[in-house]
Amino acid sequence: MTDRTGSEPPVTGAKGPEELRQQIEQTRTELGDTVEELAGKMDVKGRARARAADLRDKAGAMTVQLRSSAAQAGHTVHDKATQAGHLVQDRATQAGHKVQDRTQRAGRLTQGKASETSAALERRAEHSVPQPARPLVMAAIRHPRPVLIVGAALAAIVVVSWRYPKK
């Protein structure tokens, strides 16, 4: 049902049978198009199916896009975590090197002080210890561990002998 008030000229009578057939065919075509439009508007089920198919397509496209975004975000997080791990590892290594350097300096300082103390003890022993005991005292100063072990053993013997005297 098209409106004839538009740009089309008004239909006038046919000038011949061929022209009349053409006008009838054109009217049939227009009427078929109009009926098809009306049928399409009345087909609620078909329109709902078409709309559902469109929505399914959109949902599928959004799913693909969301998966892609999530994968990209996962890669970004992984890269940043890896960088942070390397940074922490580098800082821990630097801190370990600082501790090691400080420990070595402290060890050298302690070793130097121990050498100074040992030299001072040797000088004192040379001047104040009588000649017969001097070699023994000098050996004890140079090698203190065996002297400490022997001294501990002697102390243990003395304690045991005092604690458990013979009857």
Side-chain angles (χ1 to χ4, degrees), residues 11-25:
V11 178
T12 58
K15 293 188 182 171
E18 189 57 40
E19 191 176 330
L20 184 60
R21 283 189 194 107
Q22 257 183 348
Q23 285 178 355
I24 291 172
E25 188 59 39

Side-chain angles (χ1 to χ4, degrees), residues 32-45:
D33 291 344
T34 306
V35 168
E36 204 174 291
E37 280 180 37
L38 289 174
K41 287 183 180 178
M42 298 305 283
D43 185 18
V44 176
K45 218 182 219 183

Side-chain angles (χ1 to χ4, degrees), residues 7-71:
S7 61
E8 291 183 22
V11 178
T12 58
K15 293 188 182 171
E18 189 57 40
E19 191 176 330
L20 184 60
R21 283 189 194 107
Q22 257 183 348
Q23 285 178 355
I24 291 172
E25 188 59 39
Q26 184 179 357
T27 305
R28 279 185 186 157
T29 304
E30 289 174 4
L31 186 60
D33 291 344
T34 306
V35 168
E36 204 174 291
E37 280 180 37
L38 289 174
K41 287 183 180 178
M42 298 305 283
D43 185 18
V44 176
K45 218 182 219 183
R47 286 188 356 211
R49 284 185 185 138
R51 178 78 174 139
D54 287 345
L55 291 175
R56 256 187 256 115
D57 291 344
K58 283 183 183 178
M62 289 179 91
T63 301
V64 169
Q65 185 179 5
L66 287 174
R67 283 183 181 162
S68 174
S69 296

Side-chain angles (χ1 to χ4, degrees), residues 79-163:
D79 292 344
K80 287 187 178 185
T82 302
Q83 289 174 353
H86 289 304
L87 182 63
V88 167
Q89 187 176 11
D90 291 344
R91 287 189 180 165
T93 301
Q94 289 173 357
H97 288 306
K98 282 183 183 178
V99 168
Q100 188 176 12
D101 292 343
R102 288 180 182 169
T103 304
Q104 286 176 349
R105 269 189 258 132
R108 286 191 296 266
L109 182 65
T110 304
Q111 191 175 10
K113 296 272 185 183
S115 294
E116 289 174 14
T117 305
S118 175
L121 281 174
E122 283 184 32
R123 281 192 305 270
R124 242 189 233 168
E126 285 178 5
H127 297 294
S128 62
V129 175
Q131 184 59 32
R134 193 174 293 163
L136 185 61
V137 171
M138 295 301 278
I141 290 172
R142 286 189 187 112
H143 307 288
R145 260 193 209 138
V147 172
L148 290 174
I149 293 171
V150 170
L154 285 174
I157 291 170
V158 169
V159 168
V160 168
S161 65
W162 279 349
R163 197 123 200 220

